[in-house]
Amino acid sequence: MEEFSAATHKPQNIAIKDIIKQISNGFTLQNVEDITLLEEELKLELSDSIIIAPDYQRDYRSSIIDESSLIESLLVGIPIPPVFLANDRFEGLQVLNVVDGQHRLRAFYRFKENKFSLSGLKLLNSLNGSKFNDLDFDTKQKILTHKLAAIVFTDFPGLDFELEIFNRYNKGTKPLTPQEIRHAVYNSNLNNYVNKFAKDMVDNKTSKELQNAYNATKDRYQKKKVQESIFVLMNILESGINESYSKSSIYAEEYMKQKSQLEKNESIYAHDNFLFVKDSFENFNKIIELIGKRVEFPFSKEIYGISSRNYKFQVSIGMLLAGIFHRMISYGISLEVLDDEFALEKFLDYVSNLFKHSYLEDPEYNASSTNPKKMRELINIIDLEELFN
């Protein structure tokens, strides 16, 4: 029988007043510009801060009615499901990420901070319209001293088991998507970078060309579809098409696992690799922005003249472009050659003709458009010397 270590998880009961303090510390910690400048005493104070919305969490979507109902449930003794936290490091300090229970914890924090008035209460309707400061002492005390059940994960047994653990604890709540679970399990500096890049697109802090290219809608961002696509492209930019990967999601999962493991092992290579990946991805995006001035949705069939309004981001097209750029870099051809308007036009004409007459538009081809063998064959057809001379 195969031996493995069990996941370490500690059931705890934490007073809501202590949870609110840890959440407040988490907000303070995330706003510190340089943690290395903090006094040791303050660092210790901020240790075990709760990061209420780590990168893999959903955006906050609860209504005031939902939040009020939670407060009412506590006051009348209706059981509240446990929250799930996971030990992590934030700029060198030990913190607790919220794996499941963000909405519950944020509701308690918001109410204590007088951010909303109770509304829609059915059992304690006399409290409707009340903020925390409006309540009598006994009611305030009942809320703050209530012990909330929490399960804190530490020392996962290994990457092969982590996803299954999160999947099982995730059942019975609002299920996380596969990519949300990956963010919970395979945390890394690259995750933080990707999530910020995706959020910047949604918040209109990047060019319209990039927003269109990645189809960076709020819904796709919240479900982590944008982030998953980025990890797929990053993997291919760095390593090319992998014929052992049958689905695009495998590229994302294996890449995130690899980068997380690098950091967990405290490899001196981890930081240099992060900078390399970031630089490669940003150079890639510069070209995508240029293409986006000619083609509204570059990662779609529009790149070869077929309208794709309902399919603005097609992962197969993105993978092929990333694969072509990987091959260029491998041959020592800098992506900067495409900064030239004539070279870019020539490249787009070539790629358009290549894709249009490939398996992508073959009516007799009925297998996956991300078939790795087909993709590699198509990418390897390109005569780079002819194209860039």
Side-chain angles (χ1 to χ4, degrees):
M1 181 176 180
E2 183 181 2
E3 293 184 2
F4 60 90
S5 301
T8 302
H9 59 282
K10 300 176 181 178
Q12 300 180 18
N13 292 314
I14 310 175
I16 285 177
K17 64 178 181 178
D18 294 328
I19 286 176
I20 289 171
K21 175 63 174 174
Q22 287 173 278
I23 292 171
S24 179
N25 283 348
F27 287 133
T28 299
L29 183 59
Q30 289 173 294
N31 287 323
V32 173
E33 290 187 7
D34 188 348
I35 290 175
T36 62
L37 299 179
L38 297 181
E39 297 290 336
E40 183 177 283
E41 185 176 344
L42 183 53
K43 286 183 181 179
L44 292 172
E45 173 69 21
L46 295 177
S47 294
D48 268 355
S49 294
I50 290 178
I51 306 300
I52 193 72
D55 286 341
Y56 53 81
Q57 271 287 7
R58 299 178 176 90
D59 282 2
Y60 190 59
R61 304 177 201 171
S62 282
S63 67
I64 289 176
I65 297 293
D66 292 334
E67 293 177 312
S68 299
S69 179
L70 181 68
I71 303 300
E72 183 181 49
S73 294
L74 183 156
L75 289 172
V76 301
I78 295 174
I80 296 171
V83 298
F84 297 91
L85 309 172
N87 272 347
D88 197 10
R89 308 291 292 181
F90 183 89
E91 302 290 342
L93 293 187
Q94 178 176 298
V95 297
L96 294 168
N97 281 338
V98 180
V99 178
D100 186 66
Q102 177 202 156
H103 293 77
R104 277 158 275 163
L105 296 182
R106 198 183 286 265
F108 290 131
Y109 177 82
R110 279 170 37 81
F111 187 59
K112 170 61 172 62
E113 295 297 307
N114 294 291
K115 299 293 186 182
F116 68 93
S117 300
L118 297 173
S119 178
L121 302 187
K122 297 178 180 179
L123 302 175
L124 301 175
N125 50 35
S126 64
L127 297 181
N128 280 324
S130 300
K131 291 187 175 181
F132 180 81
N133 282 351
D134 299 323
L135 303 177
D136 60 50
F137 176 81
D138 288 342
T139 305
K140 290 177 180 176
Q141 182 174 250
K142 187 171 184 178
I143 292 171
L144 294 181
T145 59
H146 179 85
K147 297 288 179 47
L148 193 64
I151 294 178
V152 181
F153 289 99
T154 60
D155 301 325
F156 287 108
L159 297 178
D160 292 338
F161 299 94
E162 292 173 2
L163 285 175
E164 183 61 20
I165 291 168
F166 273 91
N167 267 315
R168 293 191 187 192
Y169 275 110
N170 188 44
K171 289 178 180 176
T173 63
K174 294 180 180 178
L176 300 172
T177 66
Q179 185 61 22
E180 285 173 320
I181 294 171
R182 291 184 198 114
H183 271 268
V185 175
Y186 305 130
N187 193 30
S188 69
N189 287 329
L190 195 60
N191 283 11
N192 299 336
Y193 170 79
V194 169
N195 211 55
K196 184 181 184 305
F197 174 76
K199 185 73 163 59
D200 283 349
M201 287 195 291
V202 172
D203 291 344
N204 297 314
K205 294 180 180 178
T206 63
S207 68
K208 190 66 177 176
E209 286 80 13
L210 285 181
Q211 293 169 37
N212 287 340
Y214 289 95
N215 191 18
T217 64
K218 186 174 182 179
D219 181 66
R220 276 174 46 82
Y221 166 77
Q222 289 176 338
K223 293 177 180 177
K224 305 296 183 187
K225 291 183 180 294
V226 175
Q227 293 91 319
E228 179 179 305
S229 300
I230 290 170
F231 279 114
V232 171
L233 301 186
M234 282 181 165
N235 191 331
I236 295 172
L237 281 171
E238 184 173 1
S239 304
I241 299 295
N242 190 317
E243 290 199 19
S244 67
Y245 294 169
S246 58
K247 296 186 297 185
S248 62
S249 60
I250 298 176
Y251 284 88
E253 181 164 333
E254 292 300 318
Y255 199 63
M256 294 177 72
K257 182 189 297 186
Q258 175 193 121
K259 301 311 178 189
S260 178
Q261 190 65 62
L262 270 179
E263 290 188 14
K264 284 182 179 178
N265 292 340
E266 299 183 349
S267 168
I268 58 173
Y269 172 65
H271 182 65
D272 289 343
N273 181 252
F274 167 72
L275 295 178
F276 169 78
V277 172
K278 179 174 173 287
D279 186 59
S280 298
F281 181 64
E282 290 175 354
N283 288 335
F284 173 73
N285 282 333
K286 287 177 185 176
I287 306 305
I288 297 304
E289 281 186 287
L290 293 174
I291 295 174
K293 296 182 185 300
R294 295 165 169 77
V295 180
E296 188 173 9
F297 303 110
F299 297 131
S300 78
K301 291 187 176 184
E302 285 195 10
I303 199 167
Y304 56 94
I306 295 180
S307 178
S308 299
R309 290 290 163 174
N310 294 327
Y311 300 95
K312 297 175 181 178
F313 183 94
Q314 291 171 269
V315 70
S316 56
I317 303 297
M319 291 169 71
L320 284 166
L321 286 175
I324 292 170
F325 290 153
H326 168 76
R327 185 160 175 248
M328 286 171 57
I329 295 167
S330 298
Y331 274 78
I333 301 172
S334 170
L335 298 186
E336 291 179 357
V337 299
L338 295 176
D339 288 345
D340 177 79
E341 188 171 340
F342 175 77
L344 182 63
E345 202 67 47
K346 182 180 178 183
F347 174 81
L348 285 175
D349 286 344
Y350 187 99
V351 167
S352 174
N353 185 63
L354 180 70
F355 287 0
K356 193 179 299 183
H357 296 93
S358 72
Y359 73 95
L360 294 171
E361 293 301 319
D362 183 351
E364 295 184 4
Y365 180 77
N366 55 15
S368 171
S369 60
T370 60
N371 180 305
K373 186 176 180 181
K374 285 289 186 182
M375 297 184 94
R376 287 196 70 170
E377 287 175 354
L378 187 58
I379 291 168
N380 289 336
I381 287 173
I382 299 174
D383 187 334
L384 294 174
E385 289 188 11
E386 178 186 341
L387 183 57
F388 292 105
N389 284 333

